[in-house]
Amino acid sequence: MTVERTYVMIKPDAVSRGLVGEIISRFERKGFKIKALKMFKFTRELAEEFYAEHKGKHFFNDLIEFITSGPVVAMVLEGENAVETVRIMIGITDGRRASPGSIRGDYALDITKNVVHASDSLKTAEREINLIFKPNEIVD
Ligand code: CMP
């Protein structure tokens, strides 16, 4: 087991529905440490860079419209096997098919408005953390 850091983001649908505390609380109760936390609104430019791997896909424009539609809450979580464990906790992309008990399974009924994002690999986590947070925003 290795201690890892991952990037997690509560999306505009969950922020406007008042689910921020509930979602952060799940990660804290699981045992993850919050190393950075902030609320901000994506510019179109930053959103397109963040989701660059999806450019050209049929859902890209809807995704950018959605993620820039309101504030998000971004965090860096640290703990054993953080990348894989957090992905299990959030559930699969489509909220309608995500397992009950997962965050998307409990709170999402849509594939675009799916409440939360988390890095899918250590390499992605490093890229996303560095894109969203300055080094002095992360607590050691
Ligand atoms: P996320 O985990 O943030 O990564 C890409 C996002 O694109 C995804 O969550 C959804 O919000 C959105 N999306 C919309 N449609 C799809 C799709 N068919 N496949 C994957 N992601 C999709």
Side-chain angles (χ1 to χ4, degrees), residues 11 51 54 58-59 63 93 104 111-112 114 117:
K11 296 185 179 183
Y51 280 121
H54 298 297
H58 67 91
F59 58 83
L63 172 60
T93 307
R104 286 167 173 162
I111 193 166
T112 300
N114 61 357
H117 165 91

Side-chain angles (χ1 to χ4, degrees), residues 57-78:
K57 295 185 184 166
H58 67 91
F59 58 83
F60 186 72
N61 283 343
D62 286 345
L63 172 60
I64 298 303
E65 284 299 317
F66 165 56
I67 210 67
T68 57
S69 68
V72 299
V73 173
M75 67 198 100
V76 176
L77 295 183
E78 184 180 271

Side-chain angles (χ1 to χ4, degrees), residues 9-25:
M9 182 164 75
I10 303 173
K11 296 185 179 183
D13 56 333
V15 174
S16 73
R17 288 167 62 198
L19 295 173
V20 172
E22 168 68 28
I23 292 170
I24 291 176
S25 162

Side-chain angles (χ1 to χ4, degrees), residues 94-139:
D94 186 349
R96 288 163 295 204
R97 295 177 52 242
S99 301
S102 68
I103 294 170
R104 286 167 173 162
D106 288 350
Y107 300 119
L109 258 181
D110 197 84
I111 193 166
T112 300
K113 294 176 179 162
N114 61 357
V115 171
V116 69
H117 165 91
S119 312
D120 63 4
S121 70
L122 262 184
K123 203 170 163 222
T124 308
E126 199 185 331
R127 186 186 86 84
E128 293 177 345
I129 290 168
N130 290 334
L131 189 62
I132 303 301
F133 289 98
K134 300 187 187 90
N136 68 3
E137 291 177 319
I138 302 170
V139 171

Side-chain angles (χ1 to χ4, degrees), residues 1-55:
M1 284 292 187
T2 45
V3 173
E4 297 174 349
R5 285 182 179 183
T6 192
Y7 175 80
V8 176
M9 182 164 75
I10 303 173
K11 296 185 179 183
D13 56 333
V15 174
S16 73
R17 288 167 62 198
L19 295 173
V20 172
E22 168 68 28
I23 292 170
I24 291 176
S25 162
R26 286 191 180 215
F27 293 120
E28 286 191 309
R29 282 184 301 188
K30 183 74 174 170
F32 290 112
K33 293 273 174 259
I34 301 170
K35 306 302 284 188
L37 181 69
K38 70 176 170 186
M39 178 181 260
F40 71 98
K41 197 157 177 250
F42 270 98
T43 60
R44 196 171 184 92
E45 190 185 12
L46 184 60
E48 289 189 1
E49 191 176 352
F50 184 83
Y51 280 121
E53 66 165 303
H54 298 297
K55 211 164 196 162

